[in-house]
Every structure is written in C-alpha cells, then in structure tokens.
Amino acid sequence: KDTNNPTWNQKFTFNLQDNNDSLYLDVYDDDAMGRDSIGSAKIDLKKHVFGKECYNAWITLPAMLGLLSKGEIHVIIKQHAKK
C-alpha cells in the first residue's frame, strides 16, 4: 500500500496443456476509487516454460501511450509432474 515498489508474493496454480502457447499478465494497482493499469506482458510458454524445470525472469512492463515503462514484475514458473 502506498509504495512504488510493491511486493505481492502471490502464488497461482494453473493447469496448462501443451497446446497453450502464451500466458498473459495484466498488472493493476489498487486504489480506493478503482484500479489503474500498470502494464501487461506475455510469456511464450512453448519457448520459455514447457520442457524446462523453472522459468525465473524479471519482465519489463512495456510503456503505454508513449509514456516510459512503469516497472517490472518478477515471475517464477515451476512445472509439476502430470498426474
């Protein structure tokens, strides 16, 4: 809250199939009167995730509407064995 360097420490579990090509990330801040987009990114799953043990990267959130980049997000993706 009220910081330019937030830490979310959120964990999500997704059941992805090999035919999923991309994971889309939309990042927003949380304001008392709504939310503002911080940025969006796309991870190419076939190139960076599938067939690898772990994806660990800082992803720059691209500039929007001619503005400078609003930051980056640290993403770690670990694959679990199929059941």
Side-chain angles (χ1 to χ4, degrees):
K1 182 175 176 160
D2 296 327
T3 180
N4 287 331
N5 296 303
T7 300
W8 288 289
N9 286 329
Q10 295 291 315
K11 292 183 181 183
F12 301 96
T13 300
F14 298 98
N15 294 316
L16 300 174
Q17 305 299 320
D18 288 340
N19 60 349
N20 290 112
D21 294 337
S22 302
L23 176 65
Y24 295 89
L25 305 171
D26 293 313
V27 182
Y28 295 88
D29 74 353
D30 188 17
D31 292 328
M33 299 299 291
R35 61 183 189 173
D36 299 316
S37 176
I38 295 174
S40 299
K42 179 175 91 169
I43 298 171
D44 183 335
L45 296 172
K46 288 186 177 186
K47 180 177 180 181
H48 298 294
V49 177
F50 291 134
K52 298 181 173 69
E53 187 173 318
C54 182
Y55 172 81
N56 184 340
W58 282 92
I59 300 172
T60 300
L61 299 172
M64 297 173 58
L65 302 173
L67 301 174
L68 297 175
S69 174
K70 292 187 178 180
E72 55 188 11
I73 185 169
H74 187 201
V75 176
I76 300 171
I77 300 174
K78 296 179 182 178
Q79 289 193 71
H80 296 279
K82 294 179 183 179
K83 293 181 180 180

